[in-house]
């Protein structure tokens, strides 16, 4: 019996640790050959000896279980580095089939305290990083289709966040970047569908090195990140997220495109698209201030106090 991703090649960015590592391992388990990207460079262990970069360690872990994997070290927010990453997948495995954009950083601060560098760095890594790799992957798939290749296969899985959906007050840079990623995803989904490519976004909740401060108050189950018995898996383990990425990367998800899904702790929720809540027409040729005041002020007075476009209820979603 063949594996769901057998014969396919994949890139996972930010895959040296945490969520990206779990996703890379899951794609490999499902049969994909994987390019493991991470910005982390080689370091030193406790004895002072040279140690492998995190991406190299994950690639070695995949190969040790019989899979195919290579490491790529570099900052995907750099345009040419992203080009080299896609080129590496094609050179190593003949083509690219799956792109999982996961790399990111946090620079949390309230909007009135945030520096320009804190804003720019988060937008650069998350939003520009997603664009860079998506651009070169799209060029690869479109070129193959234009050359007459039939059955071009492409899957993009982008990483958004509940911070965008719920409007995280202490993360204006992160929420903005993650909202932009959803816009990039839906635009890409429409642009590339004709070439046999789908693009979807997930909002994962996972305890990783990047989010350890965010979820510090939420206790992990005794088993930590790796399950040892039924019920031992941390509800915020990246292993809860990786299977959804594997599914979205698979042929079974051919009918899933331009979608946003929340995933954590044994639960997947499909987020509906925005819908028009109310519509007002002017009784004249154009609205005046007075007419808008007479229409909009009572409308918002009847709405729940403090309600905004943010969907804070997603933060309460859980299994069961």
């Amino acid at each position: 019996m063949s594996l769901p991703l057998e014969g396919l090649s994949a890139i996972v960015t930010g895959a040296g640790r945490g969520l990206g590592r779990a996703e890379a391992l899951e794609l490999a388990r499902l049969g994909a050959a994987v390019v493991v990207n991470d910005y982390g460079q080689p370091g030193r262990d406790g004895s002072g000896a040279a140690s492998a970069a995190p991406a190299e360690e994950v690639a070695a872990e995949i190969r040790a279980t019989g899979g195919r994997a290579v490491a790529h070290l570099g900052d995907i927010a750099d345009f040419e580095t992203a080009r080299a990453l896609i080129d590496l997948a094609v050179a190593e495995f003949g083509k690219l089939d799956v792109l999982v954009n996961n790399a990111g950083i946090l620079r949390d601060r309230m909007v009135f305290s945030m520096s320009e560098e804190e804003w720019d760095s988060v937008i650069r890594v998350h939003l520009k990083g997603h664009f860079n790799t998506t651009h070169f992957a799209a060029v690869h798939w479109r070129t193959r289709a234009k050359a007459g290749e039939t059955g071009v296969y492409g899957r993009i899985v982008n990483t958004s966040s509940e911070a965008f959906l719920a409007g995280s007050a202490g993360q204006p840079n992160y929420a903005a970047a993650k909202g932009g990623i959803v816009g990039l995803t839906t635009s890409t989904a429409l642009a590339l569908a004709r070439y046999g490519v789908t693009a979807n976004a997930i909002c994962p909740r996972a305890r990783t090195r990047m989010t350890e401060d965010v979820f510090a108050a939420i206790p992990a189950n005794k088993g930590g990140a790796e399950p040892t018995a039924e019920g031992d898996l941390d509800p915020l383990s990246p292993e809860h997220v990786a299977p959804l990425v594997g599914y979205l990367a698979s042929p079974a998800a051919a009918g899933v495109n331009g979608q946003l899904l929340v995933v954590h702790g044994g639960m997947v929720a499909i987020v509906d698209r925005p819908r028009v809540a109310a519509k007002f027409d002017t009784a004249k040729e154009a609205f005046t201030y007075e007419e808008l005041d007479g229409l909009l002020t009572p409308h918002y007075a009847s709405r729940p106090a403090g309600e905004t476009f943010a969907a804070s209820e997603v933060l309460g979603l859980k299994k069961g």
Side-chain angles (χ1 to χ4, degrees):
M1 181 177 178
S2 63
L3 296 170
L5 303 185
E6 188 172 321
L8 302 180
S9 64
I11 289 172
V12 183
T13 69
R17 300 180 178 88
L19 188 56
R21 172 183 174 272
E23 292 167 346
L25 293 176
E26 177 68 2
L27 294 180
R29 188 187 71 81
L30 294 175
V34 184
V35 179
V36 181
N37 160 267
D38 198 80
Y39 184 71
Q41 301 299 312
R44 300 283 177 179
D45 61 21
S47 66
S51 61
E56 293 170 337
E57 292 178 344
V58 175
E61 189 174 352
I62 291 171
R63 292 192 297 268
T65 59
R68 299 172 65 198
V70 295
H72 174 273
L73 309 184
D75 175 12
I76 47 82
D78 177 80
F79 199 61
E80 292 305 317
T81 299
R83 184 201 301 271
L85 174 59
I86 274 64
D87 287 348
L88 176 62
V90 176
E92 288 287 332
F93 305 124
K95 59 184 173 55
L96 174 66
D97 300 296
V98 178
L99 170 63
V100 179
N101 284 310
N102 166 76
I105 62 172
L106 289 179
R107 298 290 186 270
D108 293 352
R109 196 87 63 184
M110 300 294 284
V111 69
F112 44 77
S113 302
M114 183 163 290
S115 69
E116 181 181 18
E117 188 281 329
E118 288 167 337
W119 173 270
D120 287 349
S121 62
V122 168
I123 297 297
R124 176 183 179 274
V125 174
H126 288 274
L127 187 51
K128 188 186 177 191
H130 271 62
F131 162 73
N132 286 348
T133 54
T134 296
H135 167 75
F136 289 112
V139 169
H140 170 70
W141 290 317
R142 183 174 182 269
T143 299
R144 288 167 54 193
K146 289 289 187 180
E149 182 178 337
T150 58
V152 173
Y153 184 102
R155 298 284 188 270
I156 300 173
V157 182
N158 288 333
T159 306
S160 184
S161 171
E162 293 168 297
F164 150 67
L165 288 171
S168 178
Q171 298 179 301
N173 49 1
Y174 186 68
K178 292 305 191 181
I181 286 168
V182 174
L184 172 64
T185 302
T186 54
S187 175
T188 302
L190 292 174
L192 299 186
R194 71 184 70 179
Y195 304 120
V197 178
T198 67
N200 294 286
I202 62 171
C203 294
R205 192 186 302 180
R207 193 191 313 275
T208 66
R209 188 178 66 161
M210 189 179 84
T211 63
E212 59 187 355
D213 292 336
V214 177
F215 297 128
I218 302 176
N221 286 0
K222 62 183 179 179
E226 299 293 340
T228 56
E230 183 68 28
D232 281 351
L233 189 63
D234 180 356
L236 294 179
S237 168
E239 279 72 22
H240 285 298
V241 176
L244 176 61
V245 173
Y247 167 75
L248 292 173
S250 75
V256 184
N257 194 29
Q259 301 298 309
L260 179 63
L261 302 96
V262 177
V263 55
H264 58 80
M267 177 218 74
V268 173
I270 299 170
V271 180
D272 202 2
R273 62 182 178 85
R275 298 183 182 276
V276 177
K279 175 180 175 290
F280 301 96
D281 297 320
T282 180
K284 305 173 184 179
E285 183 179 4
F287 275 115
T288 63
Y289 166 84
E290 290 77 14
E291 188 180 13
L292 288 170
D293 181 28
L295 292 170
L296 297 183
T297 300
H299 170 76
Y300 281 107
S302 68
R303 303 292 290 269
E307 181 186 72
T308 72
F309 187 75
S312 57
E313 62 270 19
V314 299
L315 300 179
L317 293 173
K318 61 181 180 179
K319 180 184 176 183

